[in-house]
Amino acid sequence: MQARERIPDTLDLTDRAKLTQHYFINNPDPSQNYRPHFGGNILAAPPYYSHSEWDFGDVSGRFVEGFILNRIMVGDGEGMDVEKGVRDFMLSLFREDGLSYRGYIKGLDPAKVGDMYLWDQGRVLYGLVTWFLKEEDARIEKYIQGMLEGLKKVTLYEDDYAYFPYEAMYEGKYVQPRYNYWGDMSQSLWAATGQPIEPLVRYYEAKGNEEALDFAGKLVRGLLKAPIHFFEPSGAFSLHKEPFHFAFHVHSHTAALIGLLRYAIVTGDEELIGLGQRAYDWIKKHSSTSFGWTCEHYPYTTLQRDHQEVCCMTDVLNLAVLLAEAGYEHYWNDVERISRNHLVESQITSTEIYEPILVTFKHEIRKIQPEQGWHSYDNILERMVGATPGSGSANELFTTGGFGASGCCSPHMNKGFYLTWSHIITRKPGRIRVNLSLNFNSPWVEVHSFRPYQGKVEVILKKEAALSVRIPDWVDKWDVKVSVNGEEAPFKWEGDYVRLEKVHKGQKVTVEYPLRKEWIREDVGTASFDFRWRGDTVIEIKPKGRIVPLYDRAHMDCDEIPFRDQPLRCAPEDFHLW
């Protein structure tokens, strides 16, 4: 088709996934059975990757999930040996009770800090369930079943709810360690009760396992009823006094909320869905933004502490996807704005990004004594390409103290790419909906987005279907024009979607509308910034960042469309796992 020869060179999330694949392949440590590195530091001579206690269940589970989701998007076999190594490493952490344990941690006494962490169990379950959804491996299902049984044995039960009183255990007993700068590791900070919920519900959806759903339901009620609970009826995070924690680790709470919301949707609990929506709106108001930046802790205290965590941003995107799929379709606007802006801006795209940091902080670079087994030093800057620092402000990629690559946030950023990409379209027999105006190719339809240069999207049908295309919330419906093969076509409104009842194979549907172009001021943490919007894309921010500034997008501020030479990669039929 002629249209295939002129594909707009606009955001293609498979390109971003390919960059993340580079990070996945080059991060793990072959000398330690492909144990991932959690952190890294470029302000050292030499720069290094570093291991930590998070390498075990948390990061290995994310990497397993990430490799699988990434390969669906990218579609090649590069780095399969590393992926297998990381999968084997994750499985090596299991013990006879069916749970995942941390290994040796330099300087930490497991009797004081624990070696079985509930947080880790959730991340490992994500890895296992994603593995099972993709490959239906009976061996992996046994691990899932083992984790379900193991978790049930360490749970406390009251009335109709269940909960984990603390985050960590050692030799079958809960411990409440004092731990580094986090202060206490209590339930109120880490929301341990919420971490296994979503993967257990997704396993139920795939296999109909009622035991998994029943246990997930008890944990959901524990989030709301346990002595240390997490969400108020208004949707606000519950704030507990000491000896618990004065602030929230936002990622822990948003991850728990994702589980609560998926459970509510699967069980058809409208009251619980309503709570999920109120909690999402509370998060957007108090700890997140229109363009994606989401703080790591709330309440924040000073501008210096107001940094984001990419894990939190992906969780907010995930919640918006769930709400949109549940029928609250206006949340697709949030998904599109997050993915077009801070999600992609948070990625390290080349080694050139590091040059201004090394110049600005050259007097802070310290020589270190190489410590083999704990650090890795080979070609670090290049190996970090595709990752995210994890922190950052509204206008800067890095924050002081965060000059490296994050082992938790990088795979979670990749999950954000996947969740957005896999929901650009949704499909039912004889019907296709285009939810997001992003480039996408599939066996049924190909989507070409002209934004942010023009308010225009082209949809080429590969099979006959009814077609619906979502219109952004800033568009006046009277300004929308629809054509088929260049001829004006009648359409109906279906909520925020234009709908054509029958589009034939090979026909090209074009939807056009004026772009919004405006400056909007928005609070980010304890500061305010001015954002220049072109459609759903931020193309400029004031004040501008000083070291590695974000939103340097002057090239997007024009009406002329750049085109790409390569075709869009076609997604496989089974691309939708989550």
Side-chain angles (χ1 to χ4, degrees):
M1 285 179 285
Q2 183 66 27
R4 291 178 183 271
E5 300 175 8
R6 303 287 287 173
I7 300 173
D9 191 11
T10 56
L11 180 58
D12 179 359
L13 289 171
T14 65
D15 294 337
R16 295 300 185 137
K18 183 64 178 176
L19 276 175
T20 315
Q21 184 190 57
H22 173 272
Y23 165 76
F24 281 145
I25 293 170
N26 289 282
N27 170 285
D29 186 348
S31 71
Q32 295 197 31
N33 299 318
Y34 292 95
R35 173 182 172 181
H37 293 94
F38 175 74
N41 184 12
I42 70 167
L43 293 183
Y48 60 83
Y49 264 138
S50 58
H51 286 300
S52 89
E53 64 273 28
W54 298 103
D55 299 346
F56 296 104
D58 179 33
V59 177
S60 69
R62 294 177 193 262
F63 265 58
V64 170
E65 178 189 39
F67 262 116
I68 295 168
L69 299 181
N70 185 275
R71 209 169 292 285
I72 293 172
M73 296 180 68
V74 174
D76 65 30
E78 185 179 358
M80 291 294 293
D81 56 332
V82 180
E83 179 178 352
K84 181 182 184 303
V86 175
R87 291 190 189 198
D88 289 344
F89 175 78
M90 183 187 75
L91 295 181
S92 74
L93 303 174
F94 281 91
R95 295 187 186 173
E96 291 182 357
D97 61 1
L99 301 177
S100 176
Y101 283 75
R102 296 182 176 185
Y104 168 73
I105 305 166
K106 183 181 69 171
L108 295 179
D109 181 357
K112 295 180 179 179
V113 302
D115 59 0
M116 193 286 286
Y117 278 67
L118 276 308
W119 176 269
D120 294 358
Q121 310 314 307
R123 297 302 124 189
V124 171
L125 265 174
Y126 272 109
L128 290 173
V129 171
T130 302
W131 188 346
F132 178 73
L133 291 173
K134 187 67 177 72
E135 301 180 11
E136 297 187 357
D137 187 332
R139 179 177 65 117
I140 299 308
E141 186 173 15
K142 289 182 180 179
Y143 278 98
I144 298 171
Q145 291 277 10
M147 290 199 78
L148 174 58
E149 293 303 319
L151 287 169
K152 289 174 68 176
K153 290 178 181 177
V154 300
T155 303
L156 300 187
Y157 298 88
E158 296 286 345
D159 299 325
D160 65 341
Y161 65 87
Y163 67 101
F164 307 119
Y166 298 110
E167 162 63 17
M169 299 186 76
Y170 179 69
E171 294 185 345
K173 296 181 180 180
Y174 280 102
V175 296
Q176 187 184 5
R178 303 294 298 182
Y179 183 76
N180 294 343
Y181 57 90
W182 293 111
D184 77 75
M185 291 287 286
S186 72
Q187 166 71 300
S188 64
L189 175 63
W190 293 101
T193 298
Q195 304 317 312
I197 295 173
E198 194 197 19
L200 287 174
V201 175
R202 187 67 186 93
Y203 174 56
Y204 162 79
E205 289 183 276
K207 291 292 291 185
N209 188 298
E210 295 287 348
E211 182 184 8
L213 185 67
D214 178 71
F215 183 55
K218 287 183 170 65
L219 294 177
V220 166
R221 291 186 287 276
L223 292 174
L224 307 176
K225 296 182 177 182
I228 301 300
H229 54 276
F230 302 97
F231 305 105
E232 300 299 321
S234 65
F237 289 176
S238 301
L239 183 60
H240 297 280
K241 298 180 180 179
E242 291 193 25
F244 303 104
H245 211 271
F246 68 92
F248 311 110
H249 180 236
V250 174
H251 178 30
S252 302
H253 286 64
T254 49
L257 185 60
I258 288 167
L260 179 151
L261 189 53
R262 184 175 285 274
Y263 175 83
I265 292 169
V266 168
T267 58
D269 189 330
E270 293 295 335
E271 183 176 348
L272 204 54
I273 292 173
L275 173 62
Q277 182 187 21
R278 293 193 297 276
Y280 174 85
D281 291 342
W282 187 92
I283 292 164
K284 289 288 289 184
K285 179 179 179 180
H286 293 280
S287 63
S288 190
T289 59
S290 64
F291 61 95
W293 182 97
T294 306
C295 64
E296 182 173 14
H297 295 98
Y298 181 85
Y300 18 70
T301 52
T302 67
L303 183 60
Q304 191 68 17
R305 291 285 295 169
D306 290 357
H307 60 264
Q308 75 160 348
E309 183 180 9
V310 170
C311 291
C312 307
M313 174 167 52
T314 291
D315 284 353
V316 170
L317 185 149
N318 196 342
L319 287 164
V321 167
L322 288 170
L323 285 167
E325 287 193 308
Y328 300 91
E329 294 172 343
H330 59 282
Y331 288 110
W332 288 124
N333 293 289
D334 289 354
V335 177
E336 182 133 5
R337 285 191 270 268
I338 294 168
S339 59
R340 284 182 173 273
N341 296 301
H342 228 61
L343 186 66
V344 295
E345 284 288 287
S346 296
Q347 187 173 34
I348 299 168
T349 56
S350 74
T351 56
E352 295 177 1
I353 282 176
Y354 294 112
E355 293 176 7
I357 299 173
L358 297 175
V359 171
T360 303
F361 296 98
K362 62 182 179 181
H363 298 298
E364 297 185 26
I365 297 176
R366 298 289 182 264
K367 289 185 179 181
I368 62 170
Q369 184 66 34
E371 188 176 358
Q372 297 301 328
W374 194 252
H375 294 149
S376 175
Y377 304 93
D378 298 332
N379 200 22
I380 295 302
L381 299 187
E382 198 277 333
R383 288 167 61 190
M384 288 184 179
V385 171
T388 177
S391 56
S393 64
N395 60 357
E396 285 278 4
L397 180 59
F398 295 89
T399 52
T400 54
F403 296 114
S406 170
C408 63
C409 289
S410 297
H412 220 57
M413 173 186 66
N414 180 78
K415 186 170 185 174
F417 296 157
Y418 170 80
L419 287 169
T420 303
W421 174 83
S422 64
H423 289 88
I424 293 173
I425 71 164
T426 50
R427 172 180 167 268
K428 294 182 179 180
R431 180 184 180 188
I432 291 175
R433 305 188 102 200
V434 179
N435 305 307
L436 306 169
S437 294
L438 296 166
N439 284 341
F440 185 77
N441 191 11
S442 74
W444 312 281
V445 67
E446 185 164 344
V447 181
H448 299 162
S449 176
F450 288 71
R451 289 168 47 190
Y453 303 95
Q454 297 175 13
K456 178 179 174 181
V457 59
E458 294 178 345
V459 185
I460 303 168
L461 273 291
K462 299 182 180 181
K463 297 182 180 180
E464 183 177 297
L467 175 68
S468 299
V469 180
R470 189 182 64 83
I471 306 301
D473 57 358
W474 37 263
V475 173
D476 188 326
K477 290 184 176 182
W478 291 101
D479 293 332
V480 177
K481 298 179 181 179
V482 179
S483 62
V484 177
N485 289 348
E487 299 291 330
E488 186 174 349
F491 63 89
K492 296 179 180 179
W493 282 101
E494 181 183 62
D496 294 334
Y497 292 72
V498 295
R499 178 181 173 92
L500 288 80
E501 292 298 335
K502 191 173 186 180
V503 182
H504 297 290
K505 177 181 178 181
Q507 288 187 317
K508 180 175 70 176
V509 175
T510 303
V511 180
E512 297 177 275
Y513 41 79
L515 280 177
R516 70 162 172 168
K517 301 173 185 178
E518 60 182 335
W519 283 93
I520 298 177
R521 174 163 291 187
E522 184 169 353
D523 292 336
V524 182
T526 55
S528 294
F529 296 85
D530 292 315
F531 297 87
R532 188 181 181 193
W533 290 86
R534 189 178 174 99
D536 282 324
T537 303
V538 174
I539 60 171
E540 186 180 359
I541 183 173
K542 290 183 178 180
K544 185 177 180 178
R546 294 179 298 170
I547 303 172
V548 185
L550 301 180
Y551 300 104
D552 188 11
R553 294 172 162 182
H555 63 285
M556 295 182 179
D557 191 22
C558 68
D559 299 333
E560 184 176 349
I561 302 292
F563 291 94
R564 56 187 285 164
D565 297 325
Q566 298 80 20
L568 298 173
R569 179 186 171 264
C570 186
E573 290 194 3
D574 60 347
F575 69 86
H576 198 144
L577 297 187
W578 287 92

